[in-house]
Amino acid sequence: MRILVLGGDGYLGWPTALYLSQHGNDVGIVDNFVRRQYDLEMGVDSLVPIVQAQTRIRRWKELTGKNIELYIGDLTDAPFVEQTFSNFEPDAVVHFGEQRSAPYSMIDRQHAVYTQHNNVIGNLNVLYTIAEQDPTIHLVKLGSMGEYGSPNIAIEEGFIEIEHKGRKDILPYPKQPGSFYHLSKVHDSHNIMFACKIWGLRSTDLNQGIVYGQYTEETALHDDLATRLDYDAVFGTVLNRFCVQAVVGRPLTVYGKGGQTRGMLDIRDTLACIELAIMNPPSKGEYRVFNQFTESFSVLDLAEKVAAVYGNGVEIQHVEDPRVEADEHFYEATHTKLLDLGLVPHLLTDDSIQRLLSLAERYSNRVDIKAISPTVSWRRTSSKLLTSNNATH
Ligand code: NAD
Ligand code: USQ
């Protein structure tokens, strides 16, 4: 198949592009490299060094003989999106190309506006382009488990049957997202569902949990193929952060009581889930939702696991929660649709934690301790950044 990976230079987009290329597809990637620019803005960097996209692609071709086409541009630029799609003529589009950090979206008004503009407008341009050029293109869109929030009832896969005043209907599951970033994903979901209804598009909305790990079979072939790993308080996600914190001898930063429970998955399962969604497309006009995670853990569970595997007297510190969120809550979320399609998960084991710890040890000299403590507060409308607060957007 011809598959276009939007955001193909990012943490997940790059390894997905390699995986799909390795599995016999013709792959193109689209990116405006804004993720690399956020690093410059925040004064942080990936734990693992990453080379430029062109070098990555050249190295992949040298090692495998497979070509990946690169389209450099911004998804909020409609003519660029139209030209890219008409040039590449995809059968499927995997859309990772958004601003994905909740704390980044909560820095101040400017970052909230940027996040929602970038994500919602980019996605709308993709929907219009598909509708106008070829409505049979399957849009596989990365959403988030955080779209649902943490309700006091079980979370279903996208839809719930409700009985109200003697009548029944199957309706979109209520959304209670916890950041302006997560809200952008909810807006995207609504726009996609509507586009499927009015134009007969077909789309899979993947409500993905928090991804951990950095190792995939393809990225491990050469250091130039490595994907990024973030540990800073704005872009680093919880388990990746805890492993880096343990290695550099810092206490593990559990926000509040640590009872925040989240769906999680190994980065290798992201790739497998994307492939399963592509190989089993929805029908014309169908909007479907898969909850893409394999296990759930509380933040405190994760800290305890990392402390147990690393040993060396790792301390767990309950720091004041910079977010407005429940730090203890009920959590039960259905996630059967990808398993039904054949997903065989890589579950979180001591070995997978050890692999992350070893990676952190290899690059421990690149860790900037100042980047670890949270700086963005949900309660303030303007947060003091680590560096001078001269956002570029
Ligand atoms: P990332 O920031 O590493 O990658 C996103 C890529 O998209 C970057 O390379 C960035 O430059 C590009 N991009 C952003 N806006 C763009 C635009 N307007 N035009 C062109 N390119 C643009 O993020 P990631 O961790 O790889 O996440 C990818 C997707 O998966 C995101 O949509 C995210 O919301 C979702 N997701 C990620 C996780 C996770 O744990 N990392 C979990 C659930 C869902
Ligand atoms: N947390 C800590 N300590 C830390 C970092 C985080 O206790 O040092 C807590 C947070 O308060 C939160 C939980 O861990 O309750 C998860 O935070 P996170 O930063 O690991 O993940 P999150 O902000 O939810 O965002 C990440 C990705 C995002 C994706 C989302 C999936 O950055 O792109 O959409 O995971 S989900 O969580 O299912 O919404």
Side-chain angles (χ1 to χ4, degrees):
M1 291 177 79
R2 295 185 61 72
I3 305 173
L4 199 54
V5 179
L6 313 181
D9 187 49
Y11 169 52
L12 302 177
W14 173 243
T16 301
L18 295 186
Y19 181 87
L20 294 171
S21 170
Q22 185 73 316
H23 288 209
N25 302 288
D26 290 330
V27 175
I29 67 181
V30 178
D31 213 294
N32 63 352
F33 305 136
V34 70
R35 177 67 192 87
R36 295 174 187 251
Q37 198 183 312
Y38 305 145
D39 281 347
L40 298 175
E41 178 192 349
M42 299 284 122
V44 297
D45 204 353
S46 162
L47 173 80
V48 178
I50 51 169
V51 297
Q52 291 184 336
Q54 292 86 344
T55 314
R56 288 173 152 180
I57 289 171
R58 229 179 4 256
R59 181 67 69 194
W60 179 245
K61 177 124 199 226
E62 250 170 51
L63 290 170
T64 64
K66 295 173 197 295
N67 196 31
I68 291 178
E69 286 178 48
L70 174 63
Y71 296 88
I72 302 170
D74 190 329
L75 295 170
T76 65
D77 173 359
F80 165 74
V81 178
E82 287 161 8
Q83 217 176 342
T84 302
F85 276 56
S86 73
N87 189 302
F88 187 79
E89 296 189 332
D91 300 307
V93 172
V94 188
H95 184 5
F96 290 103
E98 300 199 333
Q99 191 300 98
R100 71 114 176 113
S101 156
Y104 187 90
S105 75
M106 300 301 290
I107 292 173
D108 56 14
R109 184 200 61 83
Q110 204 174 12
H111 289 79
V113 170
Y114 164 74
T115 299
Q116 294 212 351
H117 180 271
N118 187 63
N119 296 0
V120 176
I121 306 302
N123 185 59
L124 264 176
N125 285 341
V126 169
L127 291 172
Y128 264 90
T129 303
I130 292 176
E132 284 166 3
Q133 293 188 6
D134 180 2
T136 67
I137 295 171
H138 175 195
L139 174 63
V140 179
K141 167 68 169 54
L142 273 292
S144 179
M145 280 302 290
E147 293 181 42
Y148 301 117
S150 48
N152 203 25
I153 56 169
I155 294 171
E156 301 301 329
E157 264 179 301
F159 297 88
I160 183 169
E161 185 176 90
I162 294 183
E163 190 172 341
H164 180 63
K165 296 187 175 171
R167 298 180 66 81
K168 272 191 198 166
D169 203 351
I170 295 175
L171 296 170
Y173 195 93
K175 306 284 178 83
Q176 302 182 78
S179 72
F180 286 120
Y181 152 72
H182 285 98
L183 274 153
S184 76
K185 295 290 187 184
V186 174
H187 304 330
D188 286 346
S189 294
H190 288 150
N191 288 342
I192 300 168
M193 186 166 66
F194 184 65
C196 290
K197 184 166 111 181
I198 58 170
W199 297 323
L201 306 195
R202 46 189 186 150
S203 180
T204 307
D205 199 350
L206 296 171
N207 283 346
Q208 183 168 245
I210 306 169
V211 182
Y212 58 85
Q214 190 267 352
Y215 169 88
T216 74
E217 271 182 38
E218 294 76 27
T219 56
L221 290 175
H222 193 284
D223 279 351
D224 283 355
L225 300 178
T227 195
R228 58 181 306 125
L229 190 96
D230 300 301
Y231 65 90
D232 63 279
V234 174
F235 275 92
T237 51
V238 62
L239 180 55
N240 294 345
R241 267 167 68 70
F242 286 169
C243 290
V244 174
Q245 291 170 354
V247 163
V248 296
R250 306 298 297 179
L252 311 189
T253 53
V254 169
Y255 297 164
K257 294 197 186 86
Q260 302 91 320
T261 303
R262 300 288 184 266
M264 312 268 309
L265 70 163
D266 186 299
I267 189 169
R268 291 168 292 179
D269 291 338
T270 294
L271 318 188
C273 289
I274 300 281
E275 186 180 45
L276 283 170
I278 294 173
M279 298 308 157
N280 300 277
S283 48
K284 178 175 162 19
E286 186 184 355
Y287 167 76
R288 65 181 185 182
V289 179
F290 294 167
N291 289 347
Q292 181 164 309
F293 70 97
T294 58
E295 294 171 279
S296 52
F297 300 100
S298 75
V299 166
L300 188 57
D301 283 342
L302 293 171
E304 283 168 351
K305 280 180 191 297
V306 171
V309 175
Y310 192 64
N312 299 331
V314 172
E315 196 192 322
I316 294 176
Q317 192 176 52
H318 290 266
V319 301
E320 191 191 335
D321 195 336
R323 306 186 184 200
V324 176
E325 62 182 355
D327 61 358
E328 265 179 330
H329 58 89
F330 171 79
Y331 192 80
E332 189 184 303
T334 309
H335 56 111
T336 53
K337 291 189 185 168
L338 284 157
L339 294 170
D340 291 346
L341 290 179
L343 177 68
V344 183
H346 294 87
L347 299 180
L348 182 64
T349 60
D350 288 359
D351 285 349
S352 34
I353 293 175
Q354 186 53 54
R355 197 197 286 271
L356 259 172
L357 290 166
S358 303
L359 186 79
E361 273 166 344
R362 178 174 173 200
Y363 293 112
S364 60
N365 63 336
R366 289 174 55 89
V367 177
D368 177 1
I369 301 291
K370 293 193 299 304
I372 289 177
S373 299
T375 47
V376 179
S377 162
W378 264 230
R379 292 173 182 83
R380 286 195 302 264
T381 54
S382 183
S383 292
K384 194 165 160 281
L385 287 179
L386 275 177
T387 52
S388 60
N389 188 3
N390 51 355
T392 49
H393 309 295

